[in-house]
Amino acid sequence: MWLSEVTKDFENLGKYTFLWYLRVLLRIDSNGALLLFRTLQFLNKKKGFFYRVLYRVFNDRYNKVCGYLNLSLSPITSIGSGVVFPHGFPLVINSATKIGKNCIIHPCVLIGRDRGKDGAPVIGNNVFVGNGAKIIGNPCIGDWCFISPGAVITKNIPANSVVGFGLNNIINGDGKIHVEMYQK
């Protein structure tokens, strides 16, 4: 299961898969951080002394990579397969956030909840989140939404919407067309 999620994230691995994983784990970039994140998720589900030791070793490496890349992403965060960070970091994602499959998240994005309030953002499948967007509180964002750079979202967004710059500024219902342009 873990390997299938990782291979969905990283396509065209070639025949030397293990060496590729090892190279990516030792490198400090967005692919290495995502692979470490998936590895920690896998190890967190396993029971036993050996897995606990491996978890601590990988967690130390992950914390160093996160500090270097300005990434705030807890290993307990629910992130679907195929999520990409195409231009790297900085990035802040709350640990209670749920992100669907095949999302594209650009740098300087804040996905968090309000202090002292329950709930966290839920982001659907195939969502594009532009540079500097803020998703705050506990909004539910539908599938195939395009969130423009600089958008601030505090309320629910229906599926297939385009959200423009500003506070909850829903422009139109052509989100799928815009997201598909970036997924190619």
Side-chain angles (χ1 to χ4, degrees), residues 37-100:
F37 173 79
R38 295 288 186 203
T39 304
L40 285 173
Q41 282 186 325
F42 169 75
L43 293 173
N44 196 26
K45 293 176 186 174
K46 295 293 185 179
K47 297 189 184 325
F49 178 74
F50 177 71
Y51 292 112
R52 291 289 103 202
V53 170
L54 274 179
Y55 182 85
R56 292 214 175 186
V57 169
F58 279 98
N59 194 30
D60 287 345
R61 175 72 179 152
Y62 181 69
N63 288 334
K64 288 177 185 174
V65 169
C66 287
Y68 179 77
L69 295 174
N70 293 323
L71 170 65
S72 177
L73 177 63
S74 173
I76 61 172
T77 306
S78 175
I79 295 181
S81 62
V83 172
V84 293
F85 307 111
H87 299 294
F89 306 105
L91 185 68
V92 176
I93 299 177
N94 186 283
S95 61
T97 301
K98 293 182 176 132
I99 300 175

Side-chain angles (χ1 to χ4, degrees), residues 73-160:
L73 177 63
S74 173
I76 61 172
T77 306
S78 175
I79 295 181
S81 62
V83 172
V84 293
F85 307 111
H87 299 294
F89 306 105
L91 185 68
V92 176
I93 299 177
N94 186 283
S95 61
T97 301
K98 293 182 176 132
I99 300 175
K101 297 178 182 178
N102 302 320
C103 292
I104 302 169
I105 302 174
H106 282 264
C108 300
V109 170
L110 168 68
I111 303 173
R113 62 182 188 185
D114 287 338
R115 288 186 186 178
K117 295 185 180 177
D118 292 333
V122 177
I123 299 174
N125 299 328
N126 301 302
V127 174
F128 176 91
V129 182
N131 190 4
K134 315 277 187 276
I135 303 171
I136 303 168
N138 58 351
C140 186
I141 298 171
D143 297 342
W144 294 104
C145 284
F146 182 88
I147 301 170
S148 298
V152 179
I153 297 174
T154 58
K155 297 181 180 176
N156 294 343
I157 304 295
N160 201 23

Side-chain angles (χ1 to χ4, degrees), residues 6 10 13 17-36 61 65:
V6 170
F10 306 103
L13 294 178
T17 307
F18 176 75
L19 294 175
W20 185 86
Y21 285 135
L22 188 61
R23 183 176 59 101
V24 170
L25 280 174
L26 296 175
R27 190 171 53 192
I28 298 177
D29 66 353
S30 59
N31 289 338
L34 192 56
L35 185 58
L36 280 169
R61 175 72 179 152
V65 169

